[in-house]
Amino acid sequence: MLHVDRSLQIPVKEQIKDGFRGLVARGLMKGGEPAPSIRALAVELKVNRNTVALALHELMLEGFLLPRPGGVSVISDAASLQARESVDLMRRRFSEAVALARRGGLNWEEIHEAMRAVRRKEP
């Protein structure tokens, strides 16, 4: 489901938030579906429960998750739109990074090799 890569300079909390956005953007989670519990997610990702709790709390503040009675959180109906906007932003940033790499002297094969290196790290 979600994955945390400790070799990245991106904080674990942000990776968790981005992971939820990605799941919704790809249609793997939908509005109204329950989010995993803090404990279950912490065990699955092998991270501190406080880190998971903070990530989920921030997603609630953003309106991505909605609290429900009994300590359950569900994906909001607005999450799909938020996730699509987040994916659009990632695409723009990726395009900017590729343009920067080209201006910096990298050729297309070097850019492709960098992308393959990242892909090899994926679970």
Side-chain angles (χ1 to χ4, degrees), residues 31-35 60 63-78:
E33 287 186 25
M60 278 188 210
F64 194 88
L65 293 177
L66 300 173
R68 290 292 183 251
V72 175
S73 300
V74 297
I75 305 295
S76 73
D77 289 333

Side-chain angles (χ1 to χ4, degrees), residues 3-53:
H3 174 73
V4 169
D5 184 346
R6 295 183 190 286
S7 71
L8 299 177
Q9 293 184 354
I10 301 166
V12 170
K13 174 189 71 161
E14 295 304 319
Q15 291 185 49
I16 293 169
K17 291 168 59 177
D18 290 343
F20 270 101
R21 290 184 190 107
L23 290 171
V24 172
R26 291 189 309 270
L28 299 174
M29 291 187 83
K30 297 180 181 6
E33 287 186 25
S37 72
I38 293 169
R39 181 175 302 197
L41 198 51
V43 168
E44 177 184 332
L45 299 176
K46 297 178 179 70
V47 300
N48 187 291
R49 286 192 321 203
N50 292 334
T51 303
V52 174

